[in-house]
Amino acid sequence: METDKLTYQQLMAENEELRFRLEEANDTIEAIRHGQIDALIVKNGDEHQLYTLKTADQTYRVFIEKMNEGAVTLNHDGTILYSNSRFATMVNEPLEKVIGLKFSVFVPEVSHGKFNELINDGWKNDCKGEMLLTSRDFKLTPCLVSCTTLDLDEGTALSLILTDLTVQKETEWELKVKNDQLEDAQEAAERLNNQLEDTVRIRTADLLISREHFKLLANNIPQMTWTNLPGGEVDFYNQRWFDYTGRRYGETAGWGWQQVVHPDDLQKTLDAYITSLQTGKIFELENRYRRWDNTYRWHLNRAVPLRDDTGEIIFWVGTATDIEEQKKQLDLKDEFIGIASHELKTPLTSLKGYLQLMGVYKREEVPQQIKQYVEKASGALNKLQRLVNDLLDVSKIQAGRLEYMLSEVNLVKLVNSSIENAAHMYHDFEFANTTQGEIYIEGNAERLEQVIMNFINNSVKYSTDNKKIIIKAEVVNDVARVSVTDFGIGLSAEQIDRIFERFYRVEDKKFMASGLGMGLYISAEIISNHNGKIGVESELGKGATFYFEMPVLKK
Ligand code: ADP
């Protein structure tokens, strides 16, 4: 039998079967011994035959001989009076040799105690017990021994019925091994489970702590905060959002936040939001959110993506900061700048007039020194006037009132006159002009000249070492392009991003030039009013090319 290939369940079943058969056999023997059975039906081929026990001594004998258990009778000193052939097989001796021997010959030393106990008990009562049997060639056989006394004609004898437990013990052993293995496996699984549980507990605690940290932080900062999924759906707001909007989670979760964005700001908000989701670039935008009392307040939104190890965006964290007060202050400042520059304009104009009068004074000879003072005062006044004009322009742009007439403009002429102007102002600079022919566009000559002069002034200001400036007006693919190139300090990519913002100036401790950061802001506004494009190509330390482009006027 290939017991090592049997499964645990098969072994269990086989063990159960053996036990059942053993019990059945024992019960049968018990019943025969106690005279409870009068007859036996024995299967004989296909037929059944009835044997009457009381009347058939011979039949008993045959039965005892054929049974699967060893059967012996002993006298008081342990000598074997009778043995069936099965017992002789169990001890590996010829039957005739067995009878007359002391039974103890077949009991190994380890079982002596048990055997004596059984025999002693057996003479008094029926009893059972397990012990080992040994053959002459030292093969040990585990047996179940049932003892009972028999009243024979010759006197009382002790009958032993021995059931070979080898297969059962092997099965039990197999079972035990399998059981032990099972227990080991169970223990290992339990250990693993405990470890897993510990890890999960620690991780859950970590997660809880970090989530609580995040919540605590999110609910206690003055900003409104949200997180959104890579697809754009918002899945978390902090308490401030609910306090401000007066809405419940379900109302503004997902894409529901659109309801509280000012209708005038919604399109630009969606555009910027979707662009950020698609590109993974930081979302930054000012817009107005409706408060619970139906008033709108300006907010600065900023959302950054959180990425996993592979660079995939997991979610976005966004904040909306209330900038209503700053906006109001800015408006007040703009208003003040507007009024102040307007008020300055009139006295400056009259100052300029008087200086011009002084410059042409002829009635008596004016000392040379005074003439020089008047010239310097005029120069300073011109600067002041430009500054005041810029301030006025900025406040007009803010109020949406930078208005002017458009007409046909010859760009080539405009560029040439700007270069003349510049050459007059900056004697030590060399202006290279490669412009030829005629280029017409629709625009405002005065404002476009303002842009070109701003480019040239900046080139002069930011390239003190190299005195060459190239100015070009050209047509590329039906687009007119005016560019001013210098070889000065140049700009970094980060600076380029912000250069057209209002009041933006590069903070460079090494290079200080006067200015308020208004020129390019005004220029950008003018070009955008012309439906054109303004831009810069530059590298830090390698100069810059500022340009604008607009459609050519077809004639
Ligand atoms: P500003 O009056 O400060 O020159 P602008 O709006 O004209 O104001 O320019 C904004 C900033 O852009 C400047 O402060 C300067 O840092 C930078 N910039 C402008 N033109 C150039 C240039 N040609 N080369 C290097 N930096 C420049």
Side-chain angles (χ1 to χ4, degrees), residues 454 458 461-462 486 491 499 504-506 515-517 519-520 546:
N454 177 234
N458 279 345
K461 253 198 303 190
Y462 300 107
D486 66 58
L491 290 154
I499 210 99
Y504 178 80
R505 307 202 65 235
V506 173
L516 289 177
L520 286 178
F546 279 83

Side-chain angles (χ1 to χ4, degrees), residues 15 18-19 22 130 144 163-175:
N15 189 33
L18 284 168
R19 251 184 217 288
L22 178 66
E130 282 182 24
L144 174 73
T163 312
D164 186 344
L165 295 179
T166 307
V167 176
Q168 191 189 339
K169 286 284 166 193
E170 270 172 13
T171 313
E172 268 178 16
W173 176 248
E174 288 278 339
L175 257 176

Side-chain angles (χ1 to χ4, degrees), residues 279-311:
T279 59
K281 286 197 179 143
I282 291 175
F283 166 68
E284 203 167 54
L285 171 104
E286 290 180 6
N287 66 2
R288 285 161 287 180
Y289 286 116
R290 186 156 74 219
R291 206 165 59 176
W292 56 270
D293 58 358
N294 286 335
T295 57
Y296 283 94
R297 288 177 74 82
W298 278 100
H299 284 82
L300 171 66
N301 298 277
R302 203 178 139 82
V304 289
L306 206 94
R307 296 171 189 277
D308 64 13
D309 297 345
T310 64

Side-chain angles (χ1 to χ4, degrees), residues 387 390 454-463 484-492 495 498-508 511 513-523 536 538 540 543-546:
L387 197 69
D390 276 357
N454 177 234
F455 285 177
I456 296 176
N457 288 338
N458 279 345
S459 287
V460 168
K461 253 198 303 190
Y462 300 107
S463 58
V484 176
T485 303
D486 66 58
F487 303 92
I489 60 170
L491 290 154
S492 68
Q495 292 162 351
R498 306 200 50 196
I499 210 99
F500 298 103
E501 286 176 16
R502 183 161 62 135
F503 304 133
Y504 178 80
R505 307 202 65 235
V506 173
E507 294 285 336
D508 189 343
F511 196 93
S514 66
L516 289 177
M518 292 187 289
L520 286 178
Y521 170 69
I522 298 167
S523 298
V536 57
S538 178
L540 207 57
T545 296
F546 279 83

Side-chain angles (χ1 to χ4, degrees), residues 23 26-27 30 114 118 126-130 144-147:
E23 264 171 35
N26 278 335
D27 286 351
E30 283 298 291
K114 185 74 201 169
L118 271 171
D126 290 358
C127 65
K128 278 181 191 176
E130 282 182 24
L144 174 73
V145 182
S146 302
C147 305

